[in-house]
Amino acid sequence: NAGVTQTPKFQVLKTGQSMTLQCAQDMNHEYMSWYRQDPGMGLRLIHYSVGAGITDQGEVPNGYNVSRSTTEDFPLRLLSAAPSQTSVYFCASSKNSGLGGEQFFGPGTRLTVL
Amino acid sequence: GENVEQHPSTLSVQEGDSAVIKCTYSDSASNYFPWYKQELGKGPQLIIDIRSNVGEKKDQRIAVTLNKTAKHFSLHITETQPEDSAVYFCAAGYGQNFVFGPGTRLSVLP
């Protein structure tokens, strides 16, 4: 049972490039989410999904796309990277939503946009 | 929407002393309050949580208290140890999601 896995661990992009951050979980969780973590600002929700085929925006969705074609995978796409997207990105999953249930976090992806 | 404040932003204690971190939330509809510990280079990990129908919960050296009327909840760590040094986040379960506080960096000095 690997839990939540994320790839890559580190990435450097140039402004305007696109890329996909991968996230997978093997716990059969319906709820998955993406956060970005910036110094002094905690974790801010980018997008979330309550099940395969269902996604919705969080607090800071601009510049990011997601899809959920399977229960296991929840990739995050940066369409045209900007320096403001330099951050650490965490994927998380849980059996339930924010109404009560432990969220399991992946190890994170540190992204630098030059 | 929900807003979660957390204090202090940094906290240093001597090994063996207690540490207290406080959070306030704004939306009375929030009903689930987890606390996460994040060690350097890792993702956050749940250490304790409390639901709105409970006032206090303990797990060994860790306890959480909730005051629904005042909309605040606190994390208490007793007999601190060097391995307790980390960043701690509080969160409020709001609708289908969670809103996190900005974090507290706890340092336990030997």
Side-chain angles (χ1 to χ4, degrees):
Chain A
N1 192 334
V4 179
T5 58
Q6 290 183 239
T7 55
K9 287 190 174 182
F10 302 94
Q11 183 70 51
V12 178
L13 293 177
K14 294 181 179 179
T15 298
Q17 288 184 318
S18 63
M19 77 159 296
T20 299
L21 280 64
Q22 301 291 344
C23 174
Q25 52 91 11
D26 60 0
M27 297 173 282
N28 201 32
H29 287 167
E30 291 295 328
Y31 180 86
M32 295 186 73
S33 54
W34 276 100
Y35 295 89
R36 60 177 290 171
Q37 183 175 32
D38 302 294
M41 301 186 72
L43 293 148
R44 291 185 292 168
L45 183 67
I46 304 172
H47 285 284
Y48 67 96
S49 168
V50 297
I54 306 170
T55 64
D56 208 342
Q57 297 180 350
E59 179 186 356
V60 289
N62 292 342
Y64 308 95
N65 272 0
V66 292
S67 60
R68 184 94 180 271
S69 56
T70 66
T71 299
E72 294 77 20
D73 300 299
F74 191 43
L76 178 72
R77 297 183 185 84
L78 280 70
L79 309 174
S80 178
S84 60
Q85 294 178 304
T86 293
S87 188
V88 181
Y89 292 84
F90 288 100
C91 177
S93 75
S94 66
K95 189 175 182 179
N96 300 310
S97 66
L99 296 178
E102 178 177 0
Q103 279 200 109
F104 294 85
F105 283 83
T109 295
R110 184 174 294 274
L111 175 68
T112 301
V113 182
L114 303 176
Chain B
E2 177 63 281
N3 181 53
V4 177
E5 297 185 353
Q6 183 173 347
H7 299 280
S9 56
T10 60
L11 179 60
S12 294
V13 299
Q14 290 294 134
E15 183 177 355
D17 287 350
S18 296
V20 180
I21 303 170
K22 298 181 179 181
C23 288
T24 60
Y25 61 99
S26 60
D27 196 318
S28 57
S30 294
N31 58 10
Y32 175 65
F33 306 93
W35 285 89
Y36 289 84
K37 176 183 180 182
Q38 185 178 27
E39 297 178 338
L40 191 64
K42 297 184 178 180
Q45 187 170 12
L46 181 74
I47 56 172
I48 195 167
D49 56 10
I50 192 168
R51 298 182 186 275
S52 59
N53 59 349
V54 176
E56 183 176 1
K57 184 178 179 180
K58 289 183 179 180
D59 183 3
Q60 300 182 351
R61 296 186 297 109
I62 295 173
V64 57
T65 59
L66 172 65
N67 183 326
K68 284 183 60 179
T69 302
K71 297 196 190 73
H72 64 71
F73 55 113
S74 300
L75 177 71
H76 305 253
I77 305 174
T78 59
E79 301 174 14
T80 54
Q81 301 168 3
E83 52 265 37
D84 293 330
S85 295
V87 178
Y88 292 81
F89 293 98
C90 62
Y94 176 73
Q96 291 184 307
N97 296 304
F98 301 86
V99 177
F100 284 80
T104 296
R105 181 174 299 279
L106 173 64
S107 298
V108 180
L109 308 174

